[in-house]
Amino acid sequence: MSDKVDAVAPRDEDGVRRSVEHMAMMLADMGFPRMPSRVLMTMMSAEETSLTAGDLAERLGVSAAAISGAVRYLMQMGFVVREPAPGSRRDRYRLPDQPWYGVTTAKRGFYGQFSDEADVVIEAAGGARTLAGERMADLRDFFRFVEEQVGGAMQRWQEQRLPRA
Protein backbone atom coordinates (compact mmCIF):
# COMPACT_ATOMS: atom_id res chain seq x y z
CA MET A 1 0.00 0.00 0.00
CA SER A 2 1.39 3.38 -0.95
CA ASP A 3 0.83 6.72 0.71
CA LYS A 4 1.77 8.39 -2.56
CA VAL A 5 -0.74 11.01 -3.67
CA ASP A 6 -1.40 11.52 -7.36
CA ALA A 7 0.24 14.76 -8.41
CA VAL A 8 -1.70 17.24 -10.49
CA ALA A 9 0.09 17.99 -13.73
CA PRO A 10 0.68 21.66 -14.55
CA ARG A 11 -2.13 23.16 -16.61
CA ASP A 12 -1.33 23.91 -20.27
CA GLU A 13 -3.66 26.85 -20.99
CA ASP A 14 -2.80 26.94 -24.71
CA GLY A 15 -3.43 23.22 -25.00
CA VAL A 16 -6.74 23.57 -23.16
CA ARG A 17 -7.79 26.47 -25.42
CA ARG A 18 -6.90 24.57 -28.61
CA SER A 19 -8.75 21.46 -27.47
CA VAL A 20 -11.78 23.48 -26.36
CA GLU A 21 -11.98 25.11 -29.79
CA HIS A 22 -11.54 21.77 -31.52
CA MET A 23 -14.27 20.12 -29.43
CA ALA A 24 -16.56 23.10 -30.01
CA MET A 25 -15.98 22.77 -33.76
CA MET A 26 -16.81 19.06 -33.56
CA LEU A 27 -20.09 19.84 -31.78
CA ALA A 28 -20.86 22.55 -34.34
CA ASP A 29 -20.18 20.08 -37.17
CA MET A 30 -22.86 17.87 -35.59
CA GLY A 31 -25.39 20.74 -35.59
CA PHE A 32 -24.86 22.28 -32.13
CA PRO A 33 -24.60 26.09 -32.48
CA ARG A 34 -20.99 27.30 -32.53
CA MET A 35 -20.99 29.90 -29.74
CA PRO A 36 -22.92 27.72 -27.26
CA SER A 37 -20.45 24.94 -28.11
CA ARG A 38 -17.52 27.19 -27.29
CA VAL A 39 -19.11 28.38 -24.04
CA LEU A 40 -20.02 24.84 -22.96
CA MET A 41 -16.55 23.46 -23.63
CA THR A 42 -14.95 26.47 -21.90
CA MET A 43 -17.06 25.82 -18.82
CA MET A 44 -16.34 22.09 -18.93
CA SER A 45 -12.59 22.77 -19.00
CA ALA A 46 -12.60 25.48 -16.30
CA GLU A 47 -11.25 24.79 -12.83
CA GLU A 48 -13.76 27.25 -11.35
CA THR A 49 -17.21 25.96 -10.40
CA SER A 50 -18.92 28.98 -11.95
CA LEU A 51 -18.07 31.83 -14.32
CA THR A 52 -19.58 35.21 -15.12
CA ALA A 53 -20.47 36.34 -18.63
CA GLY A 54 -17.43 38.63 -18.41
CA ASP A 55 -15.19 35.68 -17.54
CA LEU A 56 -16.49 33.73 -20.51
CA ALA A 57 -16.24 36.70 -22.89
CA GLU A 58 -12.63 37.30 -21.85
CA ARG A 59 -11.61 33.66 -22.24
CA LEU A 60 -13.25 33.38 -25.64
CA GLY A 61 -12.36 36.87 -26.92
CA VAL A 62 -15.98 37.69 -27.79
CA SER A 63 -18.60 40.24 -26.78
CA ALA A 64 -20.90 39.97 -23.79
CA ALA A 65 -23.83 39.86 -26.23
CA ALA A 66 -22.44 36.69 -27.83
CA ILE A 67 -22.13 35.11 -24.39
CA SER A 68 -25.66 36.18 -23.44
CA GLY A 69 -27.22 34.37 -26.38
CA ALA A 70 -25.05 31.31 -25.87
CA VAL A 71 -25.83 30.89 -22.15
CA ARG A 72 -29.54 31.45 -22.82
CA TYR A 73 -29.42 28.59 -25.35
CA LEU A 74 -27.44 26.38 -22.95
CA MET A 75 -29.87 27.09 -20.10
CA GLN A 76 -32.83 26.11 -22.30
CA MET A 77 -31.06 22.86 -23.16
CA GLY A 78 -30.26 22.16 -19.49
CA PHE A 79 -26.48 22.37 -19.84
CA VAL A 80 -26.02 25.54 -17.75
CA VAL A 81 -27.59 26.93 -14.59
CA ARG A 82 -27.69 30.66 -13.81
CA GLU A 83 -27.23 31.82 -10.24
CA PRO A 84 -27.02 35.28 -8.72
CA ALA A 85 -23.60 36.35 -7.52
CA PRO A 86 -23.94 37.39 -3.87
CA GLY A 87 -23.45 41.13 -3.42
CA SER A 88 -23.43 41.78 -7.16
CA ARG A 89 -25.86 42.43 -9.98
CA ARG A 90 -23.95 39.96 -12.13
CA ASP A 91 -25.04 36.40 -12.64
CA ARG A 92 -22.77 33.40 -12.45
CA TYR A 93 -23.14 30.37 -14.67
CA ARG A 94 -22.34 26.83 -13.63
CA LEU A 95 -22.73 23.33 -14.97
CA PRO A 96 -25.30 21.13 -13.28
CA ASP A 97 -24.14 17.81 -11.86
CA GLN A 98 -23.63 15.35 -14.72
CA PRO A 99 -24.86 17.72 -17.46
CA TRP A 100 -24.67 15.15 -20.28
CA TYR A 101 -26.61 12.58 -18.29
CA GLY A 102 -29.20 15.13 -17.20
CA VAL A 103 -29.82 16.50 -20.69
CA THR A 104 -29.97 13.04 -22.23
CA THR A 105 -32.41 11.82 -19.59
CA ALA A 106 -34.59 14.94 -19.82
CA LYS A 107 -34.81 14.72 -23.61
CA ARG A 108 -35.52 10.99 -23.64
CA GLY A 109 -39.30 11.53 -23.74
CA PHE A 110 -38.87 13.16 -27.15
CA TYR A 111 -38.13 9.80 -28.78
CA GLY A 112 -41.46 8.30 -27.74
CA GLN A 113 -43.43 11.41 -28.69
CA PHE A 114 -41.69 11.59 -32.05
CA SER A 115 -42.31 7.92 -32.82
CA ASP A 116 -45.96 8.26 -31.77
CA GLU A 117 -46.36 11.17 -34.15
CA ALA A 118 -44.80 9.07 -36.91
CA ASP A 119 -47.72 6.65 -36.45
CA VAL A 120 -50.10 9.52 -37.21
CA VAL A 121 -48.18 10.34 -40.40
CA ILE A 122 -48.15 6.68 -41.45
CA GLU A 123 -51.92 6.52 -41.19
CA ALA A 124 -52.41 9.86 -42.93
CA ALA A 125 -50.02 8.80 -45.73
CA GLY A 126 -52.12 5.75 -46.53
CA GLY A 127 -50.46 3.14 -44.35
CA ALA A 128 -47.10 1.47 -43.93
CA ARG A 129 -47.21 -0.06 -47.42
CA THR A 130 -46.85 3.29 -49.15
CA LEU A 131 -43.35 4.66 -49.77
CA ALA A 132 -43.95 7.51 -47.32
CA GLY A 133 -45.44 5.07 -44.83
CA GLU A 134 -42.41 2.77 -45.12
CA ARG A 135 -40.05 5.67 -44.49
CA MET A 136 -42.04 6.87 -41.50
CA ALA A 137 -42.32 3.33 -40.09
CA ASP A 138 -38.54 3.02 -40.29
CA LEU A 139 -38.18 6.38 -38.52
CA ARG A 140 -40.72 5.32 -35.86
CA ASP A 141 -39.02 1.98 -35.27
CA PHE A 142 -35.60 3.62 -35.05
CA PHE A 143 -36.74 6.16 -32.43
CA ARG A 144 -38.54 3.50 -30.39
CA PHE A 145 -35.35 1.43 -30.43
CA VAL A 146 -33.27 4.44 -29.39
CA GLU A 147 -35.71 5.27 -26.58
CA GLU A 148 -35.38 1.72 -25.19
CA GLN A 149 -31.60 1.68 -25.55
CA VAL A 150 -31.06 5.13 -24.03
CA GLY A 151 -33.00 4.13 -20.92
CA GLY A 152 -30.83 1.06 -20.41
CA ALA A 153 -27.66 2.96 -21.22
CA MET A 154 -28.47 5.67 -18.67
CA GLN A 155 -29.07 3.05 -16.00
CA ARG A 156 -25.81 1.25 -16.85
CA TRP A 157 -23.94 4.59 -16.80
CA GLN A 158 -25.15 5.32 -13.27
CA GLU A 159 -24.25 1.80 -12.12
CA GLN A 160 -20.72 1.87 -13.55
CA ARG A 161 -19.89 5.50 -12.85
CA LEU A 162 -17.24 5.60 -10.18
CA PRO A 163 -17.51 8.26 -7.52
CA ARG A 164 -14.68 10.74 -7.97
CA ALA A 165 -12.90 11.72 -4.84
Side-chain angles (χ1 to χ4, degrees):
M1 204 129 175
S2 171
D3 290 336
K4 186 178 172 184
V5 176
D6 289 338
V8 176
R11 188 171 168 93
D12 175 4
E13 288 300 336
D14 288 335
V16 169
R17 240 180 261 114
R18 279 191 307 276
S19 291
V20 160
E21 290 297 335
H22 188 248
M23 291 179 78
M25 188 183 329
M26 293 169 74
L27 285 173
D29 288 347
M30 293 297 296
F32 206 89
R34 181 70 188 260
M35 187 54 64
S37 297
R38 293 180 72 204
V39 168
L40 179 59
M41 291 297 102
T42 297
M43 292 183 72
M44 293 286 297
S45 66
E47 286 299 315
E48 301 87 345
T49 57
S50 66
L51 298 168
T52 66
D55 295 332
L56 290 163
E58 182 179 324
R59 289 177 191 201
L60 292 170
V62 298
S63 70
I67 298 299
S68 175
V71 295
R72 186 171 38 255
Y73 179 85
L74 292 169
M75 286 188 306
Q76 289 171 348
M77 294 293 293
F79 280 112
V80 170
V81 176
R82 180 178 61 198
E83 299 176 330
S88 172
R89 291 181 9 168
R90 291 187 176 155
D91 292 324
R92 297 194 66 82
Y93 301 97
R94 69 169 178 81
L95 300 169
D97 293 335
Q98 299 187 50
W100 300 100
Y101 175 85
V103 169
T104 302
T105 302
K107 304 298 183 195
R108 185 172 160 222
F110 165 81
Y111 303 127
Q113 294 168 350
F114 200 63
S115 60
D116 290 347
E117 196 60 32
D119 280 330
V120 174
V121 177
I122 292 166
E123 186 177 327
R129 291 187 175 185
T130 65
L131 182 57
E134 284 180 30
R135 288 182 191 136
M136 294 304 288
D138 190 50
L139 176 143
R140 175 202 61 209
D141 295 346
F142 173 77
F143 277 96
R144 285 190 178 149
F145 173 80
V146 169
E147 181 180 31
E148 291 170 12
Q149 295 302 309
V150 166
M154 294 295 97
Q155 182 176 349
R156 287 189 303 279
W157 167 249
Q158 288 294 58
E159 290 168 357
Q160 73 88 42
R161 186 171 184 260
L162 298 174
R164 295 186 173 96

